[in-house]
């Protein structure tokens, strides 16, 4: 029995509801699982836990293992197998808190490298360094293009839909046509820009390292945490967050006034 029928059912299960790059990555992870554990009619808890141990032994971080197992769980659902783990029963070791983050100096160097490279690098870097977008959100925007006036983000992972003004200094940079760049290509772009900038590339480092820097920079600049959450489109379980609805345009102006990286684009402070 080969793995192809299982992979075909997974592809059919995902349908058109997921981005093509998400489908491709999930199929790759499902294939890795099937190659390592084998193609079976039934899978046990030991099969899944053993695969998690295998990934950890190969140097994968706990957060990456959790993501991969989420994709394996999608495989199980597609082939009609029950997931053999209870919620929270895997007991993965704690990952390094927060994940990698780019320093302000590194972001300034990446911005200079992107300005030199042109589109699509400069547009993607502007979107990442100002709005702190996830790779999947960058992929969606680049796929449809942007008109330089307003940014609408369908936030990933169940967050709020984000609607932002684009700072005038970035209007020309954030005017570009559609480009079919998947998340893999975007991550390669990040690594290429970091190398051009003369910065070391940490293991697992990508656009999310810029996202963490945006959030950290805004909080360090004194922006209220609830406003950071609203700007980032996050959902929280706190009562105040469920009622807090700042006016988008005013919130953007407040954020832009405190933003640590916007001056690197608009010339108010020249990057060093």
């Amino acid at each position: 029995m080969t793995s192809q029928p299982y992979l075909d059912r997974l592809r059919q299960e995902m349908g058109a509801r997921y981005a093509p790059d998400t489908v491709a990555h999930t199929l790759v992870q499902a294939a890795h699982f099937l190659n390592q554990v084998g193609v079976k009619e039934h899978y046990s808890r030991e099969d899944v836990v053993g695969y998690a141990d295998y990934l950890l032994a190969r140097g994968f971080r706990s957060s990456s293992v959790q993501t991969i197992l989420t994709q394996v769980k999608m495989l199980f659902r597609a082939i009609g197998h029950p997931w053999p783990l209870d919620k929270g029963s895997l007991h993965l070791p704690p990952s390094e808190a927060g994940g990698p983050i780019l320093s302000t100096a590194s972001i300034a160097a990446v911005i200079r490298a992107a300005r030199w490279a042109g589109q699509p690098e400069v547009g993607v870097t502007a979107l990442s360094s100002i709005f702190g977008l996830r790779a999947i959100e960058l992929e969606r925007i680049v796929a449809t293009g942007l008109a330089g006036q307003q940014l609408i983000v369908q936030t990933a992972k169940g967050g709020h839909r984000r609607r932002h003004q684009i700072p005038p200094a970035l209007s020309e940079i954030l005017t570009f046509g559609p480009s079919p760049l998947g998340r893999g290509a975007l991550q390669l772009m990040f690594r290429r820009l970091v190398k051009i900038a003369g910065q070391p590339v940490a293991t697992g480092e990508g656009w999310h390292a810029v996202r963490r820097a945006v959030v950290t920079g805004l909080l360090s600049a004194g922006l209220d945490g609830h406003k950071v959450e609203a700007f980032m489109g996050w959902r929280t379980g706190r009562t105040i967050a469920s009622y807090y609805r700042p006016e988008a345009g005013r919130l953007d102006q407040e954020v832009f006034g405190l933003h640590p990286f916007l001056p690197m684009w608009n010339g108010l402070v020249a990057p060093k």
Side-chain angles (χ1 to χ4, degrees), residues 233-244:
W234 290 335
R235 292 184 185 273
T236 71
R238 291 177 290 179
T239 302
I240 189 171
S242 67
Y243 284 90
Y244 180 59

Side-chain angles (χ1 to χ4, degrees), residues 4 18 40 47-48 60 63 66 73 76 89 110 112 127 132 141-142 147 165 188 226 229 235 237 249 251 267:
Q4 195 57 50
Y18 296 85
K40 304 179 179 181
D47 288 327
V48 177
F60 285 84
S63 57
Q66 191 65 62
K73 188 174 182 179
F76 277 36
S89 67
V110 169
R112 289 196 297 269
L127 288 168
I141 293 167
V142 170
Q165 297 176 350
L188 288 175
H226 295 302
E229 291 176 344
R235 292 184 185 273
L251 176 61

Side-chain angles (χ1 to χ4, degrees), residues 70 81 83 90 105 141 147 167 215 261:
T70 298
H81 289 332
W83 186 242
L90 192 55
I141 293 167
V215 173
F261 310 131

Side-chain angles (χ1 to χ4, degrees), residues 158-240:
H160 294 290
R161 191 169 187 241
R162 299 167 61 181
R163 187 185 299 269
H164 296 291
Q165 297 176 350
I166 290 178
L170 293 177
S171 180
E172 184 176 350
I173 288 172
L174 294 181
T175 299
F176 52 80
S179 179
L181 289 177
R183 271 177 286 169
L186 286 168
Q187 293 299 81
L188 288 175
M189 177 193 294
F190 172 85
R191 299 181 72 83
R192 185 169 62 251
L193 287 172
V194 172
K195 288 180 179 179
I196 292 172
Q199 305 295 313
V201 182
T203 302
E205 194 172 70
W207 292 110
H208 223 83
V210 181
R211 177 179 172 85
R212 295 185 186 99
V214 170
V215 173
T216 300
L218 291 174
L219 290 171
S220 298
L223 188 66
D224 181 82
H226 295 302
K227 293 180 180 179
V228 173
E229 291 176 344
F231 181 75
M232 300 299 292
W234 290 335
R235 292 184 185 273
T236 71
R238 291 177 290 179
T239 302
I240 189 171

